[in-house]
Amino acid sequence: METFGGSKQEVGGLTLPSPGLLSPELDLKSPCFALPCQSALSHMDVQGYKRVRWRVWLCYLGAVLSLGLLLVLFKWRPRWGVLARCQPCPLHMADIVLLRDDFGEQCVLEVLTEEIEEEGLDSVAGEGNEYEWRDTVQLHKEEKLLLRYYVFQGIRYVWMARKGAFCKVSALNDHWTCAELHRMQQGLSAMEQSSRRKVYGQNLIDVPVKSYLQLLFEEVLNPFYMFQICSIILWMSDRYYYYAACVFIISLISIAISLYEIRKQSNTLRKMAQLIVPVTVRRNTGEEESVSSLELVPGDCILIPSEGLLLPCDAALLVGECMVNESMLTGESIPVIKTPLPGGGERYSADAQRRHTLFCGTQAIQAKGNYPGGRGALAVVVRTGFFTAKGDLISSILYPQPINFRFYKDAIKFLLFLGLLALGGTIYSIVMLNRSNTPVMQLLIRSLDIVTIIVPPALPAAITTGTIYAQRRLKKQGIFCISPPRINVSGKVSLFCFDKTGTLTEEGLDVWGVMEATGGSHFEELVPDPHLLPPGFMLSSLACCHSVALLGGQLLGDPLELKMIESTGWELEEPEGEDERGHAEFGGRRVLAVMRPPPQELLPQDVSMSQAVAIIQRFPFSSALQRMSVVTVGPGGQGATAFLKGAPEMVASHCLKESVPAQFSTTLRNFASEGFRVLALAYKPLDERTDLNSISRDEVEREMRFLGLLVMKNLVKPESPEVISTLRQARLRTVMATGDNILTAVNVARGCGMVASNERVIFVHASPPTGHSPAVLKFHLGEGGTQAAVSPDEIDVISQGLYQSGVTYHLAVNGKSFSALCDFFPEYLSKVLMRATVYARMAPDQKTQLVTELQKLNYRVGMCGDGANDCGALRAADVGVSLSEAEASVASPFTSKTDNISCVPLLIREGRCSLVTCFSLFKYMALYSLIQFASVLILYTIKTNLGDLQFLLFDLVLVTLLAIVMGKGGPSKELHPQRPPASLLALPVIMSLLLHTLLLVVSQIGALLITYSQSWFVPLNSTVTGAANLPNMENTSVFAVSGFQYIFMAIIVTKGHPYKKPLYTNVLFLVLLLVFSATMFWLVLFPVGIIQDILQLYEITDMNYKLLLIALAALNFFTCYLLEVLIDNGMVECCRTLRGHRESKKQYKRLDALLAESPSWPPLDQPLSSPQCTVIGFS
């Protein structure tokens, strides 16, 4: 594509303008600008255009002369409208931009301008960035500063002169560090806030709700309705008044319902998206001011009251703690504790610092931990409007990603094929009508009528009925869907990923025991009941190292931590009122919570009572860090101690080596291999002179002393093995992605049936390069390199050939190895993905990456999780199922109210049923068009046609009603190993349609020939054409046979086994078939005079002839039915055998065949080096 003087902006590699623009260039090497701009824009192509006055007036004239058709064309093809009215220009001069998004969709946007006051701009981009910001907003500086921007999908893109590009306005604050956010506690001045508001816009997630008039114009200008309007005009001119009137009324009703539903959905979404609440803001003068949340801008310091707040923006928590309900975003019903953001110099990221970020749309239930001079908590606004987490989710609903599904693509291609067929029919009808000296106007009308027959305008609506019925059935089963097209996609899922905790296993855990470290080379004996522990650091760590909070006297928090506290018998107290400022019992320190031991009378006789402990600082658990820590003090503020809890390997890495028992790895491996959930605990005494309220996490969590292990039993849900067995029998791959220990994950995989008892698990270890060694990949049978449980003979058997010896194996990978594989061993990654079943210690972003990598192998990936840490993976998957009590969660396309994975096979069965129903409906609507196409062409040949009410009977009564109820049949109870086809252009579908069409045409011609052969046959009046010479014998014979064809083809294309229940279970469909069949028998055998007159049928008294027509229709039915059975049961396979074997188009199938022929893979205990890295390269 040609560009003009820097008029094009491609993101990913920015095309910069030539130097010499009116504003000086920014330093492109500046990290605070280069990084945000690149991340703030996706791969969109933006071109600049400027209006040309004479071209605009010329387009107006063309629109008037074409009666508005030119404007309709420009609406369908926006690029043509821009090229007609404008000329290319550099982006910085453009007043129109033509944007092509990531999915190839084009959009025309107006470039807007905003006058900015020079005063008050000093801090818009943060401290020390005044020069960069002025260049950012200043394009033309004559007398005023101008901000140039456009808005795309709710997001504002501003012109950055030194970038030579339009960048998301969020780029201006993407570089903020945690330390800079802490310095914003003093707040903004009124002028600074006003200036920022002009740059960032209002803090509003605005869902556009169009008026009924706008919606009407947009709906009518849809190609489907334009086609309908042209068809109605054509039918009226051909005197098909009844038919045209009925279609017109039905279209009006359809448009009215559609407009009502669209507006209703828009209003509902707008109410859900819009959030306007009063917020208290701190100004730089120290005063507090109540403002509307619409006025909030990044950098505002807001106060979270102690009673909580429905958050209108994304904000970083600086002072205090907040208990937040995030179920609206994640589907997770358990409130989470948010703690203050650490004040380090690292760059702030809302995703990386989730535990310190308050997200828009979530409910802060309570806030505590005073800020100076008041109660509650302090936070700084970091994102507003559509840039917030809620805005992103609303945007994904408003502007969903196109579904890359073959069925929908093939449907468009097939419509084009029907269009070509219509062209051929039009040419044939012109030739035949011309031979009969038909007037030109009549010839034109008759020829165009062919197009309206063969391209059924109701086809797009008809194929969605199966999905609508499936969605209703899912809702009755407690599965809610916010993306109906995903139902069909679920029918093609070939691999399902599952989270472990709360998904495959029970959410709650039971404490199995505590094993203390002696500080030497071994552990003490397992203590089954923490009540029996003597007072000390181990007991205190179990009681204090948590993020549990009190709300209304009830403990709220992670189920694991609740069980841990319950096992100690200690009680949680939270200071109230003025006690929050400094608890006298604990030396006047600010206290977050107090843990009190049980009374002496409740303790065993040989156990002495412990002292109360106050928690004064928390660093909450993070999936990425795999740990949490707290800072505590005893009575009088003495005995300051830090406690650490988390994944054993992570805790041990933060402890002094001499404090970790030598048996640590062996003990951990033994517990994990038995399926126990193991957490490690550590402690460290702190200097009491340290400012414990502002101490950093890094300082707290280094050089800890190892305390011991907390062992918990996590039981597999009773439904999990049965569901996994069902999926495996249906040849669906099952994969586990968990944040837990790899041996625990393998044990659970065996317990739920992902790994059978006779199957081997091979562990994959990949390490990144270091300064002295390259990246290494190794496969071995024992975790940690040990193979004690495997005999040398067994190793030899497996090494000789995993396939040749009949040994089935699964790979197990941890998060670190997965990252190393992706980064340094891409050539082995696909092979590992093909055989890996267990992915352990996976961070949330790694789960998302796993789903993406599996999709690259052409898998249709399903993901089932609890909706919290799995949000990214749930949204990235083709089919995401969140187990949540919420009726609908925007975290995933599907939300199940059941707390187990039994919803997964149900969803797949419904998806397959819906997909097969869509296939049946598509074939039926196509065959209906072809039957009518054949009837009309045959009758055109002999200078007649179907009557007005004959069309009406077939189209609006018989076919429409059958198509509506055809999809009511429910799914089969069994999950078949074979997935249904998704391609409409596959050989069986095309062969079926072509052969059926041939048989149907032969039957109609046969009916005509039988009529000609009768002794009483009287030819029609050849001086009149079309419907004007009705009734006649030829028309009546074709009407009779084609009427039966519409009915029996509905039976033939409605497939049941193995994806749907049998046809007879769809009672309404069966009743309609019987009623319509009886009606056709009546019309053919015993017609009433008045009905014959209305339908313009010829009165034939020969009963033998009538029975012959019915026999012909019956023969047609049986031959078509037999043909369909042959196609379904091997005819196509025979053709494929004759054609020869072809390699599958799906990459995972090709890889599977390759691995099946590679008995030496994976190479056991053989270090593999990455070709990308060498020791020299990293030394």
Side-chain angles (χ1 to χ4, degrees):
M1 189 184 298
E2 294 184 0
T3 62
F4 178 85
S7 63
K8 181 177 178 181
Q9 168 189 333
E10 281 191 11
V11 186
L14 291 175
T15 305
L16 298 173
S18 57
L21 296 180
L22 295 179
S23 60
E25 299 228 354
L26 284 173
D27 180 8
L28 293 175
K29 297 179 181 178
S30 172
C32 67
F33 269 84
L35 288 174
C37 192
Q38 305 245 355
S39 64
L41 280 156
S42 51
H43 296 281
M44 295 192 299
D45 177 24
V46 183
Q47 291 178 290
Y49 291 88
K50 200 167 187 65
R51 289 189 186 88
V52 180
R53 187 172 296 177
W54 65 268
R55 289 190 181 186
V56 173
W57 282 107
L58 199 61
C59 287
Y60 284 150
L61 181 62
V64 172
L65 294 176
S66 65
L67 301 178
L69 291 178
L70 185 64
L71 298 180
V72 174
L73 182 64
F74 288 166
K75 179 174 176 58
W76 292 348
R77 288 288 181 268
R79 179 178 173 80
W80 295 358
V82 172
L83 294 175
R85 298 187 186 102
C86 311
Q87 66 179 11
C89 70
L91 272 175
H92 70 279
M93 297 173 61
D95 46 29
I96 293 285
V97 291
L98 179 64
L99 182 145
R100 186 194 302 272
D101 65 16
D102 301 355
F103 313 112
E105 298 292 326
Q106 290 186 334
C107 184
V108 178
L109 300 168
E110 189 90 15
V111 176
L112 307 172
T113 59
E114 182 86 38
E115 292 183 8
I116 306 291
E117 295 85 358
E118 192 164 0
E119 299 82 3
L121 289 177
D122 296 347
S123 61
V124 173
E127 294 183 16
N129 287 322
E130 175 186 356
Y131 180 69
E132 287 87 341
W133 168 240
R134 288 171 183 250
D135 288 331
T136 299
V137 296
Q138 178 188 354
L139 175 64
H140 301 290
K141 183 170 181 181
E142 297 169 357
E143 295 180 358
K144 298 176 181 177
L145 292 173
L146 283 181
L147 172 72
R148 299 177 66 84
Y149 67 94
Y150 63 82
V151 180
F152 177 62
Q153 295 184 350
I155 292 176
R156 182 178 287 209
Y157 292 79
V158 298
W159 173 252
M160 293 189 175
R162 291 197 174 186
K163 300 295 179 194
F166 283 98
C167 296
K168 288 182 181 179
V169 71
S170 61
L172 299 172
N173 55 281
D174 275 353
H175 64 282
W176 281 348
T177 64
C178 297
E180 284 178 328
L181 288 174
H182 272 278
R183 288 198 291 271
M184 295 179 188
Q185 285 188 40
Q186 72 274 13
L188 301 175
S189 68
M191 183 175 288
E192 287 171 337
Q193 193 201 45
S194 174
S195 297
R196 291 194 184 202
R197 193 159 58 249
K198 288 187 176 182
V199 175
Y200 288 96
Q202 282 191 323
N203 174 34
L204 182 66
I205 303 172
D206 188 23
V207 176
V209 178
K210 296 175 182 175
S211 67
Y212 280 113
L213 191 61
Q214 281 181 292
L215 290 172
L216 179 64
F217 273 110
E218 290 185 5
E219 196 76 6
V220 170
L221 292 180
N222 183 297
F224 164 71
Y225 283 114
M226 291 294 290
F227 182 70
Q228 286 279 51
I229 291 168
C230 293
S231 300
I232 289 169
I233 294 170
L234 190 68
W235 296 328
M236 292 290 285
S237 62
D238 201 22
R239 299 181 183 178
Y240 285 106
Y241 301 122
Y242 294 118
Y243 186 75
C246 286
V247 171
F248 179 71
I249 291 169
I250 290 172
S251 296
L252 277 182
I253 294 171
S254 174
I255 289 173
I257 293 172
S258 177
L259 296 189
Y260 173 76
E261 287 295 327
I262 291 171
R263 191 169 168 86
K264 181 184 174 184
Q265 290 173 8
S266 297
N267 278 318
T268 303
L269 190 59
R270 185 172 200 164
K271 288 176 183 176
M272 184 179 81
Q274 274 197 2
L275 177 57
I276 304 174
V277 294
V279 182
T280 303
V281 176
R282 174 184 280 186
R283 294 289 179 224
N284 62 346
T285 58
E287 297 177 352
E288 295 177 3
E289 179 184 348
S290 180
V291 300
S292 169
S293 58
L294 287 172
E295 299 178 20
L296 292 179
V297 294
D300 263 330
C301 183
I302 62 173
L303 281 58
I304 313 296
S306 56
E307 64 273 15
L309 175 71
L310 185 57
L311 293 157
C313 59
D314 286 359
L317 186 60
L318 302 182
V319 179
E321 285 190 347
C322 288
M323 183 189 294
V324 184
N325 182 351
E326 295 186 334
S327 59
M328 183 269 171
L329 293 182
T330 66
E332 179 61 61
S333 57
I334 299 171
V336 294
I337 298 292
K338 302 287 186 173
T339 57
L341 181 75
E346 70 271 18
R347 185 175 160 190
Y348 170 79
S349 166
D351 292 327
Q353 276 99 9
R354 289 187 65 86
R355 285 288 186 170
H356 315 295
T357 303
L358 306 171
F359 292 105
C360 177
T362 62
Q363 176 71 55
I365 301 170
Q366 67 178 21
K368 59 184 178 179
N370 300 348
Y371 61 91
R375 296 180 58 198
L378 273 181
V380 166
V381 178
V382 290
R383 296 187 300 200
T384 58
F386 274 97
F387 292 103
T388 62
K390 181 181 178 181
D392 182 49
L393 292 174
I394 296 295
S395 181
S396 69
I397 298 172
L398 274 175
Y399 315 104
Q401 179 178 339
I403 296 175
N404 183 22
F405 195 46
R406 194 171 180 180
F407 176 81
Y408 301 120
K409 291 181 178 178
D410 287 355
I412 301 299
K413 292 177 183 177
F414 195 84
L415 281 176
L416 293 175
F417 166 73
L418 290 179
L420 291 174
L421 205 59
L423 180 63
T426 301
I427 294 170
Y428 174 81
S429 61
I430 289 172
V431 172
M432 297 307 299
L433 292 170
N434 190 49
R435 287 173 60 184
S436 60
N437 299 318
T438 306
V440 175
M441 194 63 186
Q442 197 72 9
L443 186 146
L444 182 63
I445 291 171
R446 291 272 184 277
S447 302
L448 291 176
D449 193 36
I450 293 292
V451 180
T452 68
I453 290 169
I454 198 168
V455 183
L459 180 61
I463 62 176
T464 61
T465 57
T467 305
I468 293 168
Y469 286 127
Q471 188 177 9
R472 288 178 181 173
R473 289 193 296 265
L474 286 170
K475 190 173 183 178
K476 289 180 181 177
Q477 298 285 341
I479 301 174
F480 301 91
C481 174
I482 62 171
S483 178
R486 298 273 178 184
I487 295 175
N488 281 347
V489 179
S490 67
K492 289 295 289 181
V493 166
S494 48
L495 180 148
F496 231 100
C497 293
F498 295 93
D499 180 35
K500 183 180 78 68
T501 307
T503 304
L504 293 171
T505 62
E506 298 288 354
E507 184 69 52
L509 297 96
D510 293 319
V511 174
W512 192 259
V514 178
M515 186 171 275
E516 278 194 89
T518 61
S521 61
H522 65 281
F523 288 93
E524 298 281 1
E525 289 294 321
L526 183 77
V527 179
D529 187 356
H531 273 95
L532 303 175
L533 288 171
F537 290 119
M538 188 68 187
L539 183 59
S540 297
S541 67
L542 291 172
C544 301
C545 198
H546 58 77
S547 297
V548 174
L550 272 176
L551 182 65
Q554 295 291 319
L555 293 176
L556 290 177
D558 187 281
L560 182 150
E561 294 183 333
L562 292 174
K563 281 285 185 183
M564 184 179 73
I565 295 173
E566 181 187 334
S567 71
T568 65
W570 287 44
E571 293 185 357
L572 173 67
E573 291 181 4
E574 290 186 345
E576 296 181 3
E578 292 301 314
D579 283 347
E580 285 188 16
R581 292 200 165 188
H583 205 296
E585 184 183 351
F586 298 98
R589 294 185 182 273
R590 182 173 58 84
V591 173
L592 298 177
V594 177
M595 297 302 301
R596 296 194 182 278
Q600 182 66 54
E601 57 269 19
L602 297 179
L603 295 172
Q605 292 182 357
D606 55 344
V607 176
S608 58
M609 185 174 172
S610 304
Q611 290 184 319
V613 178
I615 303 170
I616 61 172
Q617 181 74 290
R618 276 197 192 105
F619 300 101
F621 177 80
S622 161
S623 298
L625 299 176
Q626 298 179 344
R627 64 184 187 272
M628 73 155 294
S629 56
V630 295
V631 176
T632 66
V633 294
Q638 304 300 308
T641 309
F643 292 107
L644 179 68
K645 178 185 89 224
E649 306 93 333
M650 183 60 67
V651 171
S653 68
H654 284 72
C655 292
L656 299 169
K657 287 186 178 180
E658 61 269 19
S659 70
V660 182
Q663 297 176 339
F664 169 78
S665 298
T666 306
T667 305
L668 176 61
R669 189 156 45 246
N670 290 339
F671 279 125
S673 61
E674 293 177 23
F676 290 102
R677 177 80 181 271
V678 184
L679 296 175
L681 298 124
Y683 81 102
K684 179 175 73 174
L686 296 173
D687 187 348
E688 295 169 10
R689 292 169 295 182
T690 308
D691 183 0
L692 300 180
N693 291 323
S694 62
I695 190 171
S696 70
R697 184 168 192 156
D698 289 340
E699 190 177 346
V700 167
E701 295 179 350
R702 64 168 179 256
E703 297 181 350
M704 305 290 285
R705 300 195 64 82
F706 193 82
L707 272 172
L709 302 174
L710 171 64
V711 185
M712 308 188 85
K713 188 68 175 176
N714 193 197
L715 300 174
V716 174
K717 290 181 180 178
E719 299 86 0
S720 297
E722 183 182 350
V723 171
I724 298 299
S725 173
T726 301
L727 296 178
R728 291 194 71 181
Q729 287 173 14
R731 296 179 187 171
L732 285 164
R733 265 193 73 189
T734 55
V735 167
M736 181 197 300
T738 176
D740 209 343
N741 179 279
I742 193 167
L743 290 173
T744 304
V746 168
N747 182 277
V748 171
R750 289 193 184 277
C752 67
M754 281 188 185
V755 179
S757 56
N758 62 333
E759 294 174 333
R760 281 285 177 198
V761 175
I762 298 174
F763 295 90
V764 181
H765 275 267
S767 56
T770 63
H772 305 288
S773 62
V776 175
L777 174 63
K778 191 176 180 182
F779 301 87
H780 56 78
L781 289 168
E783 168 62 4
T786 63
Q787 295 169 344
V790 186
S791 67
D793 292 338
E794 287 178 296
I795 296 173
D796 290 340
V797 168
I798 296 173
S799 300
Q800 286 168 9
L802 289 159
Y803 286 96
Q804 292 174 355
S805 60
V807 177
T808 306
Y809 69 93
H810 298 262
L811 300 181
V813 191
N814 63 26
K816 290 182 179 178
S817 296
F818 179 74
S819 293
L821 271 168
C822 293
D823 294 339
F824 305 106
F825 298 93
E827 68 277 14
Y828 294 109
L829 178 62
S830 57
K831 292 183 179 180
V832 171
L833 291 172
M834 283 298 301
R835 294 291 180 257
T837 300
V838 176
Y839 296 85
R841 292 289 186 230
M842 296 285 280
D845 59 330
Q846 288 178 319
K847 291 183 183 181
T848 306
Q849 187 179 5
L850 170 64
V851 168
T852 305
E853 293 295 338
L854 288 167
Q855 287 170 329
K856 289 178 183 177
L857 298 180
N858 304 127
Y859 276 112
R860 285 284 174 191
V861 181
M863 175 73 196
C864 183
D866 58 12
N869 292 329
D870 308 315
C871 275
L874 287 169
R875 293 176 67 191
D878 296 292
V879 177
V881 186
S882 171
L883 305 183
S884 170
E885 293 181 3
E887 181 167 311
S889 168
V890 286
S892 63
F894 298 93
T895 304
S896 173
K897 298 191 83 169
T898 57
D899 62 351
N900 58 69
I901 62 171
S902 60
C903 59
V904 170
L906 173 63
L907 175 60
I908 294 172
R909 286 191 289 111
E910 283 289 3
R912 292 182 174 185
C913 174
S914 173
L915 186 57
V916 169
T917 301
C918 289
F919 258 80
S920 298
L921 283 164
F922 191 94
K923 286 177 68 175
Y924 181 62
M925 296 302 289
L927 285 167
Y928 140 68
S929 298
L930 292 168
I931 291 169
Q932 200 165 89
F933 178 64
S935 301
V936 170
L937 285 187
I938 290 169
L939 294 175
Y940 271 11
T941 306
I942 55 175
K943 301 182 182 181
T944 187
N945 198 1
L946 292 171
D948 191 355
L949 293 176
Q950 290 175 358
F951 275 120
L952 200 63
L953 175 67
F954 289 152
D955 291 358
L956 297 183
V957 179
L958 204 149
V959 172
T960 302
L961 290 178
L962 284 176
I964 288 172
V965 300
M966 187 185 290
K968 281 185 69 67
S972 170
K973 293 183 179 179
E974 303 296 326
L975 201 57
H976 197 264
Q978 186 70 30
R979 289 186 299 279
S983 174
L984 289 168
L985 302 181
L987 184 61
V989 180
I990 297 297
M991 186 180 291
S992 171
L993 286 174
L994 292 177
L995 294 177
H996 280 316
T997 303
L998 180 63
L999 290 173
L1000 294 166
V1001 171
V1002 167
S1003 294
Q1004 290 188 27
I1005 294 173
L1008 205 60
L1009 294 176
I1010 289 171
T1011 306
Y1012 286 157
S1013 67
Q1014 301 303 310
S1015 57
W1016 40 259
F1017 171 71
V1018 178
L1020 54 77
N1021 182 6
S1022 60
T1023 61
V1024 184
T1025 61
N1029 59 19
L1030 292 177
N1032 59 66
M1033 296 181 183
E1034 294 90 334
N1035 165 274
T1036 303
S1037 63
V1038 172
F1039 171 86
V1041 173
S1042 63
F1044 282 111
Q1045 288 176 339
Y1046 293 124
I1047 297 168
F1048 68 65
M1049 286 314 300
I1051 300 171
I1052 290 170
V1053 300
T1054 303
K1055 300 291 178 66
H1057 180 79
Y1059 308 113
K1060 291 181 67 176
K1061 290 178 181 177
L1063 183 146
Y1064 60 80
T1065 61
N1066 188 350
V1067 178
L1068 188 56
F1069 183 53
L1070 194 62
V1071 169
L1072 277 180
L1073 287 173
L1074 293 174
V1075 169
F1076 289 152
S1077 298
T1079 302
M1080 284 306 302
F1081 275 112
W1082 174 59
L1083 288 174
V1084 174
L1085 295 175
F1086 312 107
V1088 179
I1090 188 170
I1091 299 297
Q1092 281 185 324
D1093 294 339
I1094 291 172
L1095 293 176
Q1096 296 178 289
L1097 297 175
Y1098 195 90
E1099 184 177 357
I1100 299 174
T1101 57
D1102 189 346
M1103 184 59 70
N1104 290 330
Y1105 167 75
K1106 294 177 181 180
L1107 291 173
L1108 194 59
L1109 286 182
I1110 290 175
L1112 178 64
L1115 179 63
N1116 191 192
F1117 169 57
F1118 286 118
T1119 53
C1120 286
Y1121 185 80
L1122 180 64
L1123 174 66
E1124 193 71 13
V1125 170
L1126 287 173
I1127 290 173
D1128 286 344
N1129 294 278
M1131 186 174 173
V1132 175
E1133 290 301 321
C1134 292
C1135 294
R1136 284 174 177 165
T1137 304
L1138 294 172
R1139 185 185 65 185
H1141 176 72
R1142 284 188 181 181
E1143 196 175 50
S1144 173
K1145 293 180 180 179
K1146 297 189 181 296
Q1147 190 176 346
Y1148 75 86
K1149 289 186 177 180
R1150 297 199 303 270
L1151 271 170
D1152 191 52
L1154 178 66
L1155 290 174
E1157 297 169 359
S1158 305
S1160 60
W1161 199 90
L1164 297 177
D1165 296 314
Q1166 297 178 25
L1168 303 173
S1169 298
S1170 169
Q1172 299 180 6
C1173 310
T1174 62
V1175 179
I1176 297 173
F1178 286 90
S1179 59

